[in-house]
Amino acid sequence: MCQILIIYTGGTIGMMSDPKTKALVPINFDQIMENVPELERLNCRIKVHSFDEVIDSSNMSPEIWGRLAGLIESNYDEVDGFVVLHGSDTMAFSASALSFMLENLAKPVIFTGSQLPISAIRTDAKENLMTAIEIAKAKKNDKVRVPEVCIYFDYKLFRGNRAFKYNSSKFEAFRSPNYPVLAESGVHLRFSINDIRQPGDDPLIVHKGMQNDIAVLKLYPGISPKVVETIVNSDVRGIVMETFGSGNTTTDQWFTDLLKGAIDSGKVIVDISQCKVGTVELGRYETSKQLKDIGVANGYDMTFEAAVTKTMYLLNMFDDPNEVRRWIETDIRGELTVS
Ligand code: ASP
């Protein structure tokens, strides 16, 4: 019989309104189980690990990602797949982080949650949870169907490091415009086999560390030298820069000089676009050519979530900024398309 490990970290799926404050707070997993008697009817053994302190995912941290990765490592040989119950607010960060931390992953790690608590009459939690389990145990001819870190939400399965939360009030909370959905559920559960990564034979390697020595520079017309200087000269090793269109920035000399100074001092600057669809093309316009010349790293079509967590992951792996830059520009877990 198959075996699935559900890891409960918190999130709306398991929240209830506090009688005093009326604010939504996480409850324990037993109370969740009471709302889903269907779990008993699955032809599968369900193991549950609930975090001691269940959280709203706004309190997620690299330290908790390390614990999640460790749990997956210690149960990896025993179970067929994992379902991670997680708040939707930072789910895309966690799914991206885990995709980098779990090298050579060959089993499903499916993140899910919900927009309404599982005890609510109109909840989206039950469908999300039950189908996430179906996906985590899905095999064809004994072969795992989705050996990836994914997000399942509102009838769609996304690659975790390609998705982002775009809507806080619809059940359809996630999108992944730069990569096709990996499966859709309706009357049938249909997998897009050609879009799913297939693992090699190498054993799982788990990297539990992340280096959070990073800053974010989001550009806007009128940004001042003082603001850019404060960010690029701060005590960090990596900067994720959100630029315009296909990776463009102002060509003002002060701006290029500040960026060049930071890069020459050993910092890595990653260029991703503020556009949610499309890719960075350094050198396509005059307004990005100077970035290429000074050694800004091309983040291609990475989501903000993937760029942040990949930078944290690589800074922990390498001291040499050239190595970090090289791997930023390389597709390592299906997170970017080199164009
Ligand atoms: N604030 C909640 C969380 O991220 C929202 C959700 O679960 O959808 O934990």
Side-chain angles (χ1 to χ4, degrees):
M1 195 192 259
C2 77
Q3 184 155 333
I4 298 295
L5 176 63
I6 298 181
I7 304 173
Y8 174 46
T9 69
T12 299
I13 190 162
M15 288 191 185
M16 246 171 66
S17 88
D18 182 290
K20 280 200 206 108
T21 65
K22 303 282 178 251
L24 286 171
V25 291
I27 54 173
N28 68 40
F29 195 82
D30 297 340
Q31 288 166 277
I32 297 189
M33 291 291 249
E34 284 165 19
N35 285 283
V36 213
E38 295 89 341
L39 280 173
E40 304 281 326
R41 287 179 23 221
L42 279 172
N43 189 19
C44 197
R45 208 169 303 128
I46 306 284
K47 236 173 102 173
V48 177
H49 180 100
S50 179
F51 275 32
D52 290 341
E53 194 199 345
V54 284
I55 57 167
D56 184 298
S57 76
S58 298
N59 287 317
M60 192 42 69
S61 66
E63 190 264 321
I64 303 179
W65 295 335
R67 275 167 35 206
L68 259 176
L71 260 173
I72 290 169
E73 181 177 35
S74 56
N75 288 278
Y76 194 73
D77 294 334
E78 211 182 307
V79 304
D80 295 276
F82 301 84
V83 171
V84 182
L85 300 183
H86 192 292
S88 63
D89 288 352
T90 63
M91 190 182 287
F93 287 93
S94 296
S96 297
L98 267 292
S99 77
F100 298 119
M101 294 165 120
L102 303 172
E103 188 176 346
N104 305 326
L105 180 70
K107 293 190 177 180
V109 175
I110 314 297
F111 279 73
T112 196
S114 63
Q115 294 282 53
L116 283 177
I118 203 152
S119 55
I121 289 175
R122 291 178 48 252
T123 189
D124 52 332
K126 287 188 193 177
E127 202 289 316
N128 286 350
L129 172 59
M130 298 309 287
T131 307
I133 296 173
E134 286 292 327
I135 293 167
K137 71 185 183 65
K139 289 190 181 166
K140 190 169 186 189
N141 302 331
D142 239 19
K143 217 170 141 234
V144 170
R145 299 219 81 164
V146 194
E148 292 208 31
V149 179
C150 297
I151 290 178
Y152 179 76
F153 225 92
D154 195 43
Y155 302 101
K156 291 197 176 84
L157 183 72
F158 305 96
R159 176 170 295 160
N161 57 33
R162 290 289 194 157
F164 57 88
K165 184 171 180 181
Y166 95 103
N167 198 312
S168 60
S169 55
K170 280 191 177 182
F171 287 151
E172 185 205 1
F174 289 88
R175 281 198 174 163
S176 156
N178 282 333
Y179 200 78
V181 295
L182 303 184
E184 264 192 84
S185 122
V187 174
H188 301 285
L189 187 51
R190 295 209 189 282
F191 294 92
S192 302
I193 297 302
N194 295 335
D195 297 316
I196 298 173
R197 276 166 72 82
Q198 294 306 323
D201 295 329
D202 295 331
L204 178 76
I205 303 172
V206 179
H207 308 270
K208 297 193 194 99
M210 285 284 200
Q211 166 69 261
N212 69 348
D213 239 359
I214 67 162
V216 173
L217 173 59
K218 183 162 187 163
L219 300 184
Y220 48 89
I223 194 167
S224 68
K226 197 172 74 185
V227 167
V228 175
E229 189 178 355
T230 305
I231 295 172
V232 301
N233 289 343
S234 61
D235 188 18
V236 294
R237 293 175 56 214
I239 296 159
V240 174
M241 179 170 71
E242 287 195 276
T243 58
F244 308 122
S246 50
N248 308 319
T249 65
T250 171
T251 48
D252 281 353
Q253 197 56 46
W254 64 262
F255 181 78
T256 312
D257 289 347
L258 279 171
L259 260 53
K260 184 171 184 322
I263 292 168
D264 290 349
S265 75
K267 289 180 178 148
V268 178
I269 301 183
V270 184
D271 185 343
I272 57 165
S273 175
Q274 291 174 22
C275 295
K276 295 294 190 188
V277 190
T279 191
V280 166
E281 293 179 79
L282 291 183
R284 176 167 150 84
Y285 289 88
E286 196 200 356
T287 44
S288 67
K289 192 184 162 305
Q290 81 287 5
L291 303 175
K292 192 174 183 178
D293 295 342
I294 62 174
V296 167
N298 191 336
Y300 292 101
D301 56 351
M302 267 192 290
T303 60
F304 175 66
E305 291 83 345
V308 163
T309 53
K310 185 177 183 183
T311 307
M312 288 182 177
Y313 167 74
L314 293 174
L315 289 176
N316 190 60
M317 297 276 282
F318 304 105
D319 290 331
D320 180 355
N322 292 318
E323 280 297 288
V324 176
R325 192 171 310 127
R326 179 162 84 86
W327 288 107
I328 283 286
E329 297 186 341
T330 306
D331 171 14
I332 57 175
R333 304 279 193 273
E335 75 284 2
L336 60 79
T337 307
V338 176
S339 47

